[in-house]
Amino acid sequence: MTAAAPRPIVVAEEVLRARAYLLRVAEPSALHTGRLVDLLGPVAAADAIRRGDVPERVADETSARRGADRVDADLAAAADCGARLVVPEDPDWPQWPFACFGLTDKKELAPPLGLWVRGTGSLADLTDRAVAMVGARAASGYGTHTAAELGAGLAAAGQTVVSGAAIGIDGAAHRGALAGGGPTIAVLACGLDRAYPTSHAGLIDRVARQGLVVSEYPPGAVPARHRFLVRNRLIAALSVGTVVVEAALRSGAQRTASDARELGTVLMAVPGPVTSAASAGCHELIRQGALLVTRAEEITEATGRLGVELAREPERPQRRTDVLDETQARVHDALPPRAARDIAWLAVEAGLEQDTVRSALVELERRGLAEFHEGRWQRSVGGGG
Amino acid sequence: MTAAAPRPIVVAEEVLRARAYLLRVAEPSALHTGRLVDLLGPVAAADAIRRGDVPERVADETSARRGADRVDADLAAAADCGARLVVPEDPDWPQWPFACFGLTDKKELAPPLGLWVRGTGSLADLTDRAVAMVGARAASGYGTHTAAELGAGLAAAGQTVVSGAAIGIDGAAHRGALAGGGPTIAVLACGLDRAYPTSHAGLIDRVARQGLVVSEYPPGAVPARHRFLVRNRLIAALSVGTVVVEAALRSGAQRTASDARELGTVLMAVPGPVTSAASAGCHELIRQGALLVTRAEEITEATGRLGVELAREPERPQRRTDVLDETQARVHDALPPRAARDIAWLAVEAGLEQDTVRSALVELERRGLAEFHEGRWQRSVGGGG
């Protein structure tokens, strides 16, 4: 929409180039390569990997591609599709969301070595209180409707929706957020010069204009099944909480859910009919402790700043008899809807003293809930409920 | 079905008559009357109430009707409709389920002073591991279908279904249990000589033949709103756990749920579409800590004898690639579905050493997941998924 303002150069060129090289040679999630970078810095770590002079576990992650030095080509291809490289040395790095990686030692849950980013917004800003929404590709009409509603509600509450741009729930979540006027982030499992799935090319372009498209894979990288699973950890990590909208019992969405749990973020799931296989994974997650959510407000309550956003109480039906005290309600219940009765009869029926019944009837009459006819009482028409 | 075997007389006639009198004069739930009975025994307590010589709180519960001595008429009317009076002095009293009343001091949750029972089965036996199933009168097709399925499943597992014979979820639960060949218990909010709702007269008769119809209200007592709420505590108390199938946000079913919680029994709820107001109460209960259940096995697991019944794991879809280790799966993912590639290409794509790729391919070929053509490899048709 708006043209990108020129970004101040804040990261040294050699750091950026080293990170671009690392993203090309180390297939994510590359735990040991990341540790070497933490130890030596990106420039020295990249040099060591190029030379093959690294510990065996780093070699396992990098030796197959360490000769593939395509830094210039990758940076040029990224620029061609409007993408930039955001690295941990950049103030725009989502430092705070990614702190969650510190909670786990699992090698499939290592932080990314950098992120290719398409879109003009700030990654750090847009991932403040972001919510991941994931779910089945084979979603039902109910699932896509619900994902779109929740996406729009979160956008209205000022929360970024993070998802994976897939067919089904992902697409509906992005579309809902866009329709709600909010930014949304699509995390891809391929290079940003590709649109996958192809049928979502237009959607991905709209996401890039109104939010961000993100990937740790270099330009040209093709989507592969393990990349979808590895990518899912980024969707979870970029968000304060993850909402699973529809998921079969064994699905990528459940994998994202387990990542969210392992990374210590809030795990939520939307229920559905117990007769729908598409909701079975959500129900299993709730049985295992995920928070059941039905409305965007409930998601905001669970992921918002503590004490600031609280879900409004859902509206409850009101009845004219709600204001009655226990004795009055009992007398009202005893009043026949069609026939009129005397106080002695009502006292027996309600199990109360005649004096008590008499004063309750006065109050019921005042409220238009009882009528007096020739020495007998009956319930007012329309005064029940 | 089978004619009632003559029941041995185990309760003294004067005790039975005293309890029949107490059930007539004290509108449930009558906490203080119950305490007087515990203190003096039923015969002396009934005499004291008849004389009006009782503490004020007992008088509040009994003075309106203490002159209504209709013991003979009530016993005769009960016999006319095939009902008997079961009292705490009877071995058939559900002593163990009713122990839950000891957990609360709430005056609306007092134990019954006796129970009118229609049907030949043993109340004590049939309430061993019974499950209450309650829900909206204005149930959806989804709700009644699910209640019937769960009722049948519980019956098949040998668990009695307890409900309130109302239109909607209650009726579906009873019907499901009957269809499943199991006994079911209907707890009414009126005398057993009445059928309420009238349209369920046939259903109530079938429940009496295959299970039990129960009420603490004497013959002739009419249903009144407070009686439905008071009756709900018995549905909860007669059961190890309560399942709410569909409930609006403010409903009698939610009252039964809060009784179940207060009485320390297991509270369960069935989810549904978030777009359905009929499921909103269930979702609220789950958010407040009720166990989400989707199948009868899950209910049995939560209410069965500890460690004896455990829900089978739901069936998960199986894939031919499930048996692959991580390396093999990565090579399989790298194999293009349509084009063939050489090992060098696959090594880069998979991010693995060529030797590793070569041995993975041998294993994939053995499993029929990869094919070798003129020096190149491709994925087998039908071998993915």
Side-chain angles (χ1 to χ4, degrees), chain A residues 63 65 222 348-349 353, chain B residues 63 65 222 284 348-349 353:
Chain A
S63 61
R65 299 193 199 136
V222 297
V348 172
E349 181 62 19
E353 297 280 3
Chain B
S63 60
R65 298 193 200 134
V222 296
E284 189 174 63
V348 173
E349 180 63 18
E353 296 280 3

Side-chain angles (χ1 to χ4, degrees), chain A residues 176-193:
Chain A
L178 292 170
T184 176
I185 297 177
V187 185
L188 304 189
C190 58
L192 294 187
D193 54 342

Side-chain angles (χ1 to χ4, degrees), chain B residues 154-178:
Chain B
L154 289 169
Q159 293 191 275
T160 303
V161 173
V162 182
S163 194
I167 305 290
I169 297 300
D170 285 20
H174 288 303
R175 283 193 193 93
L178 292 170

